[in-house]
Amino acid sequence: MDSLKQKEQACTRPFCFFCTMKEPDFFKRRAGISACFKELPLGEDQGNVLVLSSLWQIAMTHPDDPEFPSLGIFECMAKLIFKGINNKCWLQTDQNIYIPYYAAHVIGSYTMNKAEFAEKAVASGVIPPLLDLLRGKMSWVEQRVAARALGHLASYERTSEAVAQYEEEVVRSAMKVASTCLHVVYVSFVGVKDKRKRQKYHCDLLTRGVGGLEMEICKAEEWASQLQCWSLNILNCFACKEKSLNLICKQDFLKQLCGMWGGLANRSSPAGVGLIRILCYSKYGRKKISESREVIESLCNISRSSDDWQYMGIDCLLLLLKDPDTRYKVIDIAALFLVDLVELRSLGDRSNLGETITKALLLANYKQGKLNKNRKIEKNLEELWNLKVERRKRERGLCQEKIEKRMVLVDVIKQEANHMFCLGEIEEAIVKYSEALELCPLGLRKERMVLYSNRAQCQLLMRDSDAAIRDSTRALCLSTPVNSHSKSLWRRSQAYDMKGLAKESLMDCLAFINGCIKSESSRRVKIPHYAARMISKQMEATWLFATARSTMATRQDFQVMKQVQESEGQGNLCESGDDKQDYRDEIMRVMMEKKGLSTILEEPLIVKEESRRKMERTRRV
C-alpha cells in the first residue's frame, strides 16, 4: 500500500530540478542539474518560477559555491532574461514575469565575490541581456539587479574589458538611471495612491508577501537608493580607469551628483561624492569639477559636516588645491570653508589632517601670489597664519606660571561674556568671547572648544548662520573625538537649517541625538523634543523622493489649471475683474479638492457667492 502511494506521488516531469537536487548519487546529480539548466529556458512549465526562486535563495546564501556556476547556470539565466524581454506572451503567462528579476539577481550574487565566476558569466554571454535590463526594457525593479550584476563584472580586471566593449552604451545608461531612477520609482510606484494600480509583482518582490503599504514604501525607498548607488558604481569602475570621462564629466550630471547621497536607507554607499572623488584623481576630472561652483560649494558643505563621507569632501578639495591648473579656480571658495578645519587632528584613518589642510591652503595662496584679490580670503589666510605659525612661536616660550595666569584671565573674560549673554547683550558677549579666544593658549583645546561653541550660540541669536557654522565647526574640530561635542552639533544643525541645508542639518541633529543616547545613564533614553522636531522637518525635506514628489505635484497642479481653463470656455470669458476672481476661485477650489482640502474652501466660497448676489440685488434696486 505504501509503495503504491509513493508511485502515485512520484514526479513525472523529465527534468525536475527539485527531484534532481534529491538525487543521492553525486555524478547523476551533477548531470541532472546540468540538464535542467539546458532545459529550463526551453520549457513552458508553470513551476519554473519556483525553480528560479530556489536558485535565487541558494545564490544568496552560498554565493561562493562553485557547483552551479560550473554546470551552466549563467548561460541558463542569460537565456531566460532574453526570453522575458523578447517574448511578451511568455512573460505574461502564469508567474513568468518574476523570472528575469530572479535570473539577473542570481548572476549578481554569484559574481559578487569570485573573479573566476565573473569570467564564466561573461563567457556565457550575460552582458547583453543585463544591458537590455539596464536600458529599461522591463522596469526599475529589473534595472536594480542588472546594475548590481554589471557593477560586479566591471569591477574585476579580468572581466572589465568585456564590459568596456559596450562602454559608451553602459555609461550612458548608468548615467540616465542614476539621474532619473528616483523620479521613475516615485511616479510608477511610491506616488501611486491606489494600491491596485501598482504592479503586483513589484509589491510581491519588495515585501515577499509580508507587510502592507508602509512596508512597500520603505522597501521601495531602499531599492531606489540601491539602484542609484549601483548605477554610480558602474560609473566608478570606468572613472577609475579614466574611461568615458568626457561623458561622466558633463556639467549637468556633475551638478546632479551633488544631490545623490543615497539617503538614510543606504548610508553604506558614498553615492555621488564617491564618484566625484574618483574624478578628482584625474586631471581632466579636476578641470571639469573646478569649473562648477555648485559642485565646489557642495564639497565644501560636506567637508564641514558630520556626514560619514566628510573626509571625501576634504580629499576632493585638497586634490583641487594641489593642482596648479585648478587651485586658482577653487581657492576663493574652498579657503573660506577649509580654514575652519585646520585644527583637526584625525578623521577616520587620516592623521594630522589639520596640518595637511594648513599646508595646502598656505602653499596654494603663496603660489597663487598676487592673483588673489579677495580681501575676505586674505583676511582668513592671515588669521590662519597667525593661528598656526605666529601664535605657536609666541606660546613655545611660555612657562607654566604664565599659562596659568592667562587661564585665570581667560576664565574671568569668559564669565563676563556669559553674564552679558544672560543680560541679552549679545554683540558685547561676542566681543568678549573673541577676546578670550585670543588669549587662550592653543594647547588648551577643551577650553577653546567651549569658547567657540558659546560664540556660535551668540551668532545664532544674531541670525548670522555663516558665522555660527564657522564657530561650531571649529569647536567640533577641537572636540575629542572629532564631531562629538553635543552643544556644537545642535547649534550647527540650527545654523544649517537657517541656510536651508537640510541634509547637513539632519546629519548634525542625528549625531547630537546619538550623543544624548550615549550620555544617558538610565535605561529610558529621553530625546529632546526640539531635536525630534528638527529631525522630522529635515527628514521630510531630505526624503529620497522629495524632489520627485514636488515635481509631480507641480505637474498635476498645472494640468488641473489647464483643465479648468479649457472647461466651459472659461479661458475666453475672464475679462472683467469679477470674472477673473471667480476664475481664480474655481482653480483654487479644484486644486484643493485634489489635495483633499475642499471642505476648507467650501464655506468661504459660498459666503463670497452670497455676498456677490446681494450686491447685484442692491444695484438693481
Side-chain angles (χ1 to χ4, degrees):
M1 192 70 176
D2 291 339
S3 61
L4 183 62
K5 283 184 179 180
Q6 288 176 0
K7 286 180 181 179
E8 288 176 354
Q9 294 173 359
C11 182
T12 58
R13 288 184 292 178
F15 297 99
C16 179
F17 174 78
F18 299 105
C19 294
T20 304
M21 291 293 289
K22 296 175 184 177
E23 173 61 52
D25 186 280
F26 175 74
F27 295 103
K28 287 184 179 180
R29 180 175 174 274
R30 283 180 62 85
I33 292 171
S34 179
C36 285
F37 287 156
K38 289 177 181 176
E39 182 64 23
L40 202 59
L42 305 175
E44 302 293 334
D45 196 329
Q46 294 182 10
N48 283 350
V49 69
L50 297 176
V51 177
L52 265 293
S53 178
S54 298
L55 289 172
W56 166 76
Q57 290 179 346
I58 293 169
M60 287 287 287
T61 52
H62 304 286
D64 299 333
D65 189 337
E67 183 177 30
F68 287 175
S70 67
L71 296 176
I73 193 172
F74 292 124
E75 187 174 356
C76 175
M77 298 301 108
K79 288 180 178 178
L80 285 171
I81 294 172
F82 265 138
K83 189 172 183 179
I85 292 171
N86 299 317
N87 190 339
K88 299 301 181 184
C89 292
W90 173 82
L91 188 67
Q92 294 170 7
T93 303
D94 301 320
Q95 292 184 312
N96 292 336
I97 197 166
Y98 295 87
I99 289 178
Y101 170 85
Y102 283 128
H105 211 308
V106 168
I107 295 171
S109 295
Y110 276 120
T111 57
M112 183 167 48
N113 302 324
K114 298 278 188 177
E116 54 267 32
F117 292 176
E119 284 184 286
K120 288 180 180 178
V122 168
S124 301
V126 301
I127 294 178
L130 289 175
L131 185 52
D132 278 345
L133 292 181
L134 188 67
R135 288 194 202 103
K137 288 292 182 71
M138 287 194 65
S139 74
W140 64 272
V141 168
E142 290 80 16
Q143 276 183 326
R144 169 179 167 269
V145 286
R148 172 176 176 255
L150 283 170
H152 295 330
L153 298 176
S155 64
Y156 296 113
E157 285 294 330
R158 302 182 197 176
T159 55
S160 60
E161 287 304 316
V163 181
Q165 291 179 13
Y166 306 86
E167 180 179 338
E168 184 172 349
E169 196 169 0
V170 171
V171 169
R172 289 187 184 278
S173 297
M175 289 173 64
K176 182 179 178 181
V177 171
S179 301
T180 62
C181 64
L182 301 184
H183 180 77
V184 169
V185 176
Y186 184 81
V187 170
S188 63
F189 191 86
V190 176
V192 179
K193 302 303 180 185
D194 187 350
K195 188 176 180 179
R196 294 170 298 180
K197 294 182 180 180
R198 293 181 178 178
Q199 289 271 24
K200 183 181 181 302
Y201 87 99
H202 285 181
C203 299
D204 292 341
L205 289 172
L206 283 164
T207 64
R208 304 293 163 198
V210 179
L213 183 64
E214 187 176 350
M215 174 67 76
E216 288 177 8
I217 292 175
C218 288
K219 291 299 293 184
E221 182 177 357
E222 180 184 346
W223 281 23
S225 175
Q226 290 172 348
L227 173 55
Q228 187 176 69
C229 291
W230 287 340
S231 301
L232 293 175
N233 181 50
I234 296 174
L235 299 177
N236 284 337
C237 295
F238 284 96
C240 284
K241 296 177 174 59
E242 298 192 18
K243 292 183 176 181
S244 294
L245 294 184
N246 61 320
L247 297 175
I248 300 171
C249 290
K250 290 185 179 297
Q251 288 300 317
D252 288 343
F253 185 66
L254 290 177
K255 292 175 187 177
Q256 291 173 16
L257 280 177
C258 299
M260 299 180 192
W261 68 290
L264 296 178
N266 194 26
R267 292 186 68 182
S268 60
S269 170
V273 69
L275 179 54
I276 290 173
R277 185 176 67 152
I278 288 175
L279 294 174
C280 282
Y281 285 125
S282 68
K283 193 168 188 66
Y284 183 83
R286 290 193 297 272
K287 176 180 179 296
K288 289 297 181 180
I289 288 170
S290 67
E291 293 171 358
S292 174
R293 185 180 182 89
E294 291 89 341
V295 177
I296 301 303
E297 288 180 348
S298 177
L299 292 172
C300 289
N301 287 327
I302 293 172
S303 70
R304 286 197 316 185
S305 73
S306 52
D307 195 302
D308 292 339
W309 314 114
Q310 178 187 7
Y311 70 91
M312 288 193 175
I314 296 173
D315 285 351
C316 292
L317 294 174
L318 290 177
L319 288 167
L320 292 166
L321 285 173
K322 290 175 182 177
D323 187 332
D325 294 328
T326 58
R327 70 165 63 101
Y328 73 94
K329 295 180 181 179
V330 303
I331 191 169
D332 283 0
I333 306 172
L336 293 173
F337 291 78
L338 288 179
V339 75
D340 300 328
L341 304 171
V342 295
E343 295 197 80
L344 274 174
R345 283 185 172 171
S346 62
L347 190 64
D349 60 351
R350 288 157 175 73
S351 56
N352 298 320
L353 188 56
E355 296 299 316
T356 304
I357 293 171
T358 301
K359 290 176 183 176
L361 285 174
L362 294 178
L363 187 62
N365 186 59
Y366 172 76
K367 289 190 174 181
Q368 189 178 358
K370 300 296 183 181
L371 292 176
N372 190 1
K373 303 295 183 182
N374 192 323
R375 179 56 195 154
K376 195 173 184 180
I377 300 297
E378 288 181 5
K379 183 180 177 183
N380 275 272
L381 293 175
E382 285 172 7
E383 290 177 0
L384 172 61
W385 178 265
N386 180 56
L387 177 71
K388 303 294 282 186
V389 180
E390 297 297 335
R391 282 186 65 176
R392 277 184 179 178
K393 288 180 181 178
R394 292 198 301 267
E395 292 180 9
R396 275 181 196 152
L398 289 177
C399 62
Q400 187 62 33
E401 184 180 352
K402 288 184 177 180
I403 291 175
E404 290 177 359
K405 285 182 178 179
R406 273 203 185 189
M407 274 310 304
V408 171
L409 183 57
V410 167
D411 190 56
V412 170
I413 297 172
K414 176 186 168 186
Q415 295 303 323
E416 290 177 1
N418 291 346
H419 181 65
M420 290 176 178
F421 178 84
C422 292
L423 294 175
E425 299 173 359
I426 308 302
E427 292 182 358
E428 291 79 358
I430 291 174
V431 172
K432 284 295 181 181
Y433 283 129
S434 302
E435 187 180 336
L437 281 165
E438 284 293 323
L439 287 171
C440 191
L442 296 177
L444 301 175
R445 293 173 67 87
K446 185 176 180 181
E447 289 76 7
R448 293 174 62 235
M449 175 192 74
V450 173
L451 290 170
Y452 274 123
S453 188
N454 288 356
R455 193 169 71 175
Q457 179 61 42
C458 295
Q459 309 286 10
L460 270 178
L461 294 175
M462 296 296 294
R463 308 296 295 175
D464 190 345
S465 56
D466 289 321
I469 292 169
R470 284 198 300 271
D471 280 346
S472 51
T473 299
R474 294 180 182 192
L476 289 164
C477 289
L478 291 167
S479 63
T480 306
V482 174
N483 296 332
S484 63
H485 189 234
S486 294
K487 289 183 179 179
S488 297
L489 284 168
W490 173 241
R491 287 161 184 168
R492 192 169 68 176
S493 177
Q494 291 175 280
Y496 274 132
D497 179 49
M498 289 168 62
K499 285 181 68 68
L501 295 170
K503 177 197 166 187
E504 287 74 13
S505 176
L506 176 62
M507 293 294 104
D508 281 348
C509 196
L510 289 172
F512 166 68
I513 287 180
N514 189 45
C516 293
I517 292 172
K518 289 180 179 178
S519 64
E520 285 284 349
S521 56
S522 60
R523 290 185 180 180
R524 293 187 64 184
V525 176
K526 294 182 180 179
I527 296 176
H529 66 279
Y530 51 84
R533 282 202 307 269
M534 179 70 82
I535 283 185
S536 178
K537 175 183 179 181
Q538 307 304 5
M539 286 284 282
E540 179 75 11
T542 60
W543 188 39
L544 199 66
F545 300 113
T547 303
R549 178 180 57 187
S550 176
T551 304
M552 188 175 178
T554 303
R555 288 178 180 174
Q556 287 176 343
D557 290 346
F558 176 77
Q559 289 172 359
V560 170
M561 292 173 69
K562 189 175 180 181
Q563 289 170 7
V564 173
Q565 187 175 5
E566 291 175 352
S567 66
E568 299 180 3
Q570 286 186 19
N572 299 322
L573 295 175
C574 296
E575 296 178 358
S576 67
D578 290 339
D579 289 336
K580 288 180 180 178
Q581 184 61 48
D582 290 344
Y583 171 60
R584 286 195 291 267
D585 288 343
E586 179 65 14
I587 290 176
M588 183 62 72
R589 182 185 64 77
V590 176
M591 289 174 63
M592 295 297 276
E593 283 179 355
K594 282 272 186 181
K595 299 176 185 296
L597 299 172
S598 57
T599 55
I600 297 175
L601 279 178
E602 186 176 354
E603 186 177 349
L605 284 172
I606 291 171
V607 171
K608 180 171 275 190
E609 181 64 21
E610 287 295 327
S611 177
R612 189 169 67 83
R613 287 173 182 170
K614 286 180 182 178
M615 288 292 291
E616 286 179 0
R617 285 197 296 269
T618 304
R619 287 172 188 167
R620 288 171 192 163
V621 173

